[in-house]
Amino acid sequence: MAGGRRWDISLVKSALSRLARAAALDQPGPYQLEAAIAAQHSLAPSYQATDWAAVRRLYDALMIMKPSPVARLSRAVATSHVDGPEAALAEVDGLEKDLSGYRLWHATRADLLSRLGRDPTANLRRALALATNPAERELLARRLASVP
């Protein structure tokens, strides 16, 4: 990662130790699965080096216990890294009815469209309109400004 690691390694190790103790009970619940997903991200040396197949398997298990459109959207992000953006776009488009008012649905769809060489402008504009966090708004505005 540019500028060094952003994770506090001692806290990551402590969290992984707790996660291992919980896993030893062999009674996984949704919080344990969410923690395991976070662990996959924290253990990866970079976003690109994340074990996306493992992340997707964890989301599959989470969807059995605690299905939600937002979890399905997150699973689609993992799908984009495992099976490519076209497969992920089909998953994301299937969530339009549930998430069309959610900024991250639009931002995710815009990213996938960009990766496919298609125009993300409409989704970037909608994500920007829905975003309230200044940092998110700045990122989305930069992405929108960079669309050819």
Side-chain angles (χ1 to χ4, degrees):
M1 290 177 7
R5 292 192 67 90
R6 293 184 181 159
W7 298 101
D8 181 326
I9 298 304
S10 65
L11 290 176
V12 169
K13 287 180 180 178
S14 173
L16 291 174
S17 173
R18 291 170 191 247
L19 186 57
R21 286 196 310 270
L25 298 174
D26 199 27
Q27 296 177 341
Y31 295 123
Q32 184 180 347
L33 291 169
E34 290 168 351
I37 292 166
Q40 287 296 322
H41 291 295
S42 68
L43 291 171
S46 68
Y47 181 81
Q48 295 78 9
T50 300
D51 185 346
W52 291 106
V55 169
R56 187 168 68 174
R57 284 190 302 274
L58 289 164
Y59 273 113
D60 287 341
L62 181 61
M63 292 303 301
I64 292 168
M65 290 183 187
K66 188 179 170 186
S68 77
V70 173
R72 287 177 53 207
L73 180 64
S74 296
R75 183 194 184 279
V77 171
T79 294
S80 77
H81 295 283
V82 175
D83 294 331
E86 191 73 47
L89 184 60
E91 291 182 25
V92 169
D93 284 349
L95 295 167
E96 182 173 12
K97 179 181 170 195
D98 293 323
L99 296 178
S100 64
Y102 183 49
R103 74 194 187 291
L104 295 180
W105 181 83
H106 289 281
T108 301
R109 190 168 193 280
D111 177 66
L112 296 170
L113 290 172
S114 291
R115 289 170 56 191
L116 291 166
R118 294 165 52 189
D119 184 10
T121 303
N123 286 109
L124 283 171
R125 283 186 180 144
R126 185 67 178 133
L128 183 57
L130 293 168
T132 58
N133 178 295
E136 285 182 3
R137 291 185 56 75
E138 181 183 335
L139 175 64
L140 291 165
R142 279 197 320 262
R143 287 185 180 169
L144 186 57
S146 72
V147 173

